[in-house]
Amino acid sequence: MGKTLFEKVWNAHVVTQIPGGPDVLYIDKHLIHEVTSPQAFTGLEKRGLGLFRTQNTVATADHNVPTKNQHLPIAEPLSKYQVDRLTENCNKFGVTLYGLNHPFQGVVHVIGPELGITLPGMTMVCGDSHTSTHGAFGSIAFGIGTSEVEQVFATQCLMQSKPKTMKIEVNGKLAKGVLSKDIILYIISKISAAGGTGYFVEYCGSAITSLSMEARMTICNMSIEMGARGGIIAPDQTTFDYIKGREFAPKGKQFDEAVEYWNDLYSDHDAKFDAVLSYDAADIEPMITYGTNPGMGIKISGHVPVEADIKEESNKVSFKKSLEYMGLQQGQSLLDKPVNYVFIGSCTNSRIEDLRLVASFVKGKQKAANIHALIVPGSKQVQAQAKREGLDTILADAGFELREPGCSACLGMNEDKVPKGEYCVSTSNRNFEGRQGPGARTFLVSPLTAAAVAISGKVSDVRAMM
Amino acid sequence: MEKFISIQSTIVPLSIEDIDTDQIIPARFLKATSREGFGDNLFRDWRYDENNQAKKDFILNNADFQGKILVAGKNFGCGSSREHAAWAIHDYGFKVVVSSFFADIFKNNALNNGLLPVQVSQSFLNKIFEMVAANKNIELSVSLVDQSITIAGTTFSENFDINDYKKTCLINGYDDIDYLLSLKDKIEQYEKGSKYLSLVK
Ligand code: SF4
């Protein structure tokens, strides 16, 4: 019987199998950042160990950094301490660091792909759940905890039970104004925030293969929001073209050899998945979430569900609790709801294509007076590219400020936060209670929808504004 | 790692589903660079208001409910990979979390810290919530050796899954690194034959 893409990559990385236990999986690339690594370095030191394969690890500072005046010392003492610890640890253990002000710095899941570090067929981990992003290249990439970060430091391996496999197929053509972000919000709204738990998901179908690499990354990024361990997309010509010429990608003859290998990375036609779902792209509209987990999403033209729509009795409590937190009514439409904050950024939607889309939409328009907008590029390279293309000027003319790279208001950890009770339309990936700051209320959307809201000052259907 | 063999304790029931790690420990408390002390901020925004006053209606602030076992609704620990969530729960004093469903990363993180995630059926979970509503002093008895969980003094009991390797680790207090370090030769041998590594060398 044939094998799935996931199984092919997984099997190629099993060092050994433990009877009745997990597999010992070799990890090709390990990305680290300031928040989930310090305790792992301390643990390593306590054991008197160094990194087993230093060259397989790359570090950056992203979660806990300001997005303004990055050339100045970080003002907040705890944040400064944490970022300084990363620098110290990287120096001490010899790890390559793209720290603040380095031209390669940025959100960890943005810099991996753009630097050609992320490659098809590899295994990759990071102490961050959105590591699933890198699966867009046909790699097995997933988030881990700090004890596991320490394991990879010490041995370049992890003990992992093999997840089940799920195939999600989306066929057809996306309508105007509908982006890959809408595809993934749509899927999660169908299967719920726990629907993928225990699975590794392969996305396929014509609506997926016709996407750019950056749009594919947005899809894989949010795999974790349905509980899946990760997402994966078979590499193809689009993938190879994206990788070619990037900083750390194989070059010349080595690249050609790599492509030859990568061409074998696909699920065999007779491969068996543990679950298969399929959707029609024509049914997908711009999406928006109304609740406090990413599974609570609706079409922009739709309505918040009513209690009777919630199938499981036990879900009703959570449903009512989330509407109360969000200040919304059962059955209401979200269109025209006034919003004061717009966040365009995060590892889901802060790449150059996202900024281009936003800039092209707001060009010649003005942001609404009530809107506080944050546009945060995913990396220094994205920021530089945006400047080269004059996107910063277009955005500035429309009343937006392009910040410096970081996780920013995605997680309410650094200084960029949404105030209590305020609504924020956000291109990030989580709408949990307090995610963007204590009491903040998040609507997850695509970058185009976010741009439309920034201009109109209220929840809007971007299709009516194009 | 601390050993875990069995426990009997009163419980803290938290009948909410999809509790994500941002609720367990909000990101703004992740600036610490050591593993200790996260228990103070466990469920911070549910536990305290913006003036740091305890919210009376939250279960952790209710002296009637105490114990070493946290019982929570379905899909516990979804969201971020932050191990700080497991540290916070353990640091607060819990040794076991019971739910009808756990997010994958949380489960691994808990097991790596001597915190036992016990997955029960939805009906068993409902039974616990029902019984504790009637009598706050009920106790749960959890045996890792037998892989069983029982509502003490009743016949309500279930078995739970855990893989043999993790079970041995918990019972003996071993962690994965010790084991992996013993495989060094195998790992080096693997590297020599790795297709991927040969492509990028
Ligand atoms: S942008 Fe948000 S989701 Fe992405 S790595 Fe940073 S905090 Fe995590």
Side-chain angles (χ1 to χ4, degrees), chain A residues 63 107 109 128 130 346-347 407 410-411 429 435:
Chain A
H63 283 64
V107 179
H109 311 309
D128 187 285
H130 293 98
S346 92
C347 56
C407 293
C410 173
L411 90 164
N429 43 47
R435 172 78 179 180

Side-chain angles (χ1 to χ4, degrees), chain A residues 248-288:
Chain A
F248 299 112
K251 305 264 152 48
K253 187 166 153 279
Q254 217 186 359
F255 181 80
D256 299 336
E257 278 169 23
V259 169
E260 209 173 295
Y261 175 57
W262 297 338
N263 266 322
D264 284 338
L265 299 174
Y266 54 83
S267 289
D268 297 328
H269 69 276
D270 55 345
K272 205 177 146 349
F273 291 85
D274 298 298
V276 178
L277 295 170
S278 85
Y279 300 105
D280 179 0
D283 188 44
I284 306 177
E285 271 187 27
M287 298 287 294
I288 186 165

Side-chain angles (χ1 to χ4, degrees), chain B residues 10-11 62-66 131-139:
Chain B
T10 50
I11 65 174
N62 184 340
D64 284 350
F65 294 97
Q66 285 185 359
M131 288 189 69
V132 76
N135 173 8
K136 60 186 188 320
N137 295 320
I138 65 154
E139 295 192 349

Side-chain angles (χ1 to χ4, degrees), chain A residues 54-336:
Chain A
T54 317
Q55 71 279 13
N56 293 20
T57 302
V58 176
T60 191
D62 55 1
H63 283 64
N64 198 2
V65 301
T67 57
K68 260 184 173 169
N69 295 323
Q70 288 184 345
H71 58 290
L72 299 177
I74 299 176
E76 210 272 321
L78 283 176
S79 302
K80 180 172 184 329
Y81 184 71
Q82 197 173 49
V83 173
D84 287 349
R85 279 301 305 274
L86 179 71
T87 311
E88 266 169 44
N89 281 326
C90 288
N91 287 340
K92 196 187 299 175
F93 289 90
V95 174
T96 305
L97 167 67
Y98 303 133
L100 276 192
N101 300 309
H102 190 286
F104 294 164
Q105 180 267 342
V107 179
V108 65
H109 311 309
V110 175
I111 69 169
E114 80 182 0
L115 292 172
I117 294 172
T118 308
L119 298 173
M122 76 190 317
T123 49
M124 189 173 213
V125 295
C126 172
D128 187 285
S129 55
H130 293 98
T131 309
S132 58
T133 312
H134 308 265
F137 290 79
S139 58
I140 290 185
F142 54 91
I144 56 176
T146 298
S147 296
E148 294 171 314
V149 170
E150 192 180 332
Q151 288 170 36
V152 181
F153 278 168
T155 66
Q156 210 54 46
C157 287
L158 273 179
M159 317 276 280
Q160 291 290 308
S161 303
K162 194 172 179 177
K164 291 180 285 184
T165 54
M166 180 187 286
K167 173 160 99 170
I168 299 184
E169 201 173 356
V170 188
N171 281 305
K173 217 169 139 344
L174 289 177
K176 195 175 88 171
V178 180
L179 304 183
S180 71
K181 179 65 164 286
D182 299 306
I183 301 181
I184 190 66
L185 285 172
Y186 174 91
I187 294 172
I188 303 169
S189 79
K190 293 283 181 199
I191 76 170
S192 92
T197 304
Y199 290 94
F200 214 95
V201 177
E202 178 175 346
Y203 302 95
C204 58
S206 57
I208 304 291
T209 49
S210 58
L211 295 173
S212 71
M213 278 322 289
E214 298 196 353
R216 293 180 191 184
M217 285 185 237
T218 303
I219 300 220
C220 286
N221 173 276
M222 288 193 73
S223 304
I224 183 72
E225 305 310 335
M226 51 178 136
R229 219 48 239 284
I232 193 167
I233 295 174
D236 58 12
Q237 198 56 44
T238 305
T239 321
F240 310 146
D241 292 345
Y242 178 95
I243 294 169
K244 194 166 190 175
R246 293 194 178 257
E247 189 79 24
F248 299 112
K251 305 264 152 48
K253 187 166 153 279
Q254 217 186 359
F255 181 80
D256 299 336
E257 278 169 23
V259 169
E260 209 173 295
Y261 175 57
W262 297 338
N263 266 322
D264 284 338
L265 299 174
Y266 54 83
S267 289
D268 297 328
H269 69 276
D270 55 345
K272 205 177 146 349
F273 291 85
D274 298 298
V276 178
L277 295 170
S278 85
Y279 300 105
D280 179 0
D283 188 44
I284 306 177
E285 271 187 27
M287 298 287 294
I288 186 165
T289 61
Y290 62 87
T292 54
N293 74 53
M296 301 168 107
I298 52 174
K299 294 177 179 173
I300 194 93
S301 66
H303 294 83
V304 174
V306 294
E307 202 180 323
D309 299 336
I310 310 294
K311 281 174 226 105
E312 274 180 66
E313 204 51 42
S314 61
N315 287 338
K316 291 188 176 176
V317 183
S318 305
F319 170 70
K320 282 191 278 189
K321 184 171 176 290
S322 77
L323 288 194
E324 196 179 310
Y325 180 84
M326 291 297 291
L328 298 174
Q329 304 299 320
Q330 300 190 19
Q332 82 169 91
S333 157
L334 294 182
L335 284 173
D336 295 331

Side-chain angles (χ1 to χ4, degrees), chain B residues 140-191:
Chain B
L140 287 179
S141 164
V142 177
S143 163
L144 179 54
V145 181
D146 301 340
Q147 296 178 221
S148 70
I149 175 167
T150 308
I151 304 178
T154 74
T155 53
F156 294 107
S157 188
E158 265 194 12
N159 288 101
F160 59 87
D161 278 340
I162 180 168
N163 75 47
D164 293 345
Y165 167 81
K166 277 290 172 197
K167 181 172 168 179
T168 311
C169 286
L170 274 175
I171 289 176
N172 296 294
Y174 298 154
D175 66 24
D176 287 351
I177 297 187
D178 298 329
Y179 181 79
L180 285 172
L181 285 170
S182 73
L183 298 179
K184 245 181 175 154
D185 293 347
K186 276 204 169 125
I187 299 171
E188 279 169 357
Q189 210 180 328
Y190 168 86
E191 285 177 323

